[in-house]
Amino acid sequence: MTDHSVSDVLLFTQDMLLLVIEEQWDQLMEMQVLQDKMLRQLFAAAEPMFSKQEQEDLLEVQRLNQEVLNAAEAHRADIATELRSMRQGQAKASAYQAL
């Protein structure tokens, strides 16, 4: 038997999505590691057997994980855009100072 149930993993994943909404990226990374351990425990059995409700919950975990991933990728793109803009501003300032 595992230490965590499928419903525990679902609740934990929902908490992860709340961190995304609150943009608490550092905590999200820590939680991702814990979620991975929880999932590994669930699937550690040679042939894990899940009830229909557990299967639905696992599909919801998968959907929520995709939302978290999409939000993280969007955040990364925003940071890249901001950095690019800052570098362009620095280049313009340097060019202006060289005149």
Side-chain angles (χ1 to χ4, degrees):
M1 202 69 192
T2 62
D3 294 340
H4 299 285
S5 68
V6 173
S7 61
D8 290 338
V9 176
L10 178 57
L11 290 171
F12 194 80
T13 306
Q14 290 168 340
D15 289 343
M16 290 171 60
L17 189 57
L18 288 175
L19 289 179
V20 167
I21 293 167
E22 296 169 356
E23 296 187 4
Q24 296 181 21
W25 302 106
D26 291 338
Q27 288 181 339
L28 179 66
M29 290 176 17
E30 294 170 13
M31 287 183 76
Q32 176 58 47
V33 171
L34 293 174
Q35 184 204 42
D36 185 54
K37 288 178 184 177
M38 293 169 77
L39 288 168
R40 286 179 190 271
Q41 287 178 348
L42 282 177
F43 290 96
E47 294 182 33
M49 298 294 291
F50 298 111
S51 69
K52 183 159 181 59
Q53 182 60 51
E54 288 174 326
Q55 290 173 16
E56 290 172 9
D57 288 351
L58 286 169
L59 286 173
E60 181 64 5
V61 166
Q62 184 179 16
R63 187 190 70 75
L64 292 173
N65 277 340
Q66 188 60 50
E67 281 190 46
V68 168
L69 179 63
N70 292 343
E73 288 174 348
H75 180 68
R76 183 182 65 177
D78 290 345
I79 290 173
T81 300
E82 188 175 325
L83 286 173
R84 192 171 19 262
S85 179
M86 288 172 62
R87 286 187 191 126
Q88 289 173 349
Q90 289 173 342
K92 289 177 184 178
S94 295
Y96 180 74
Q97 290 174 350
L99 294 176

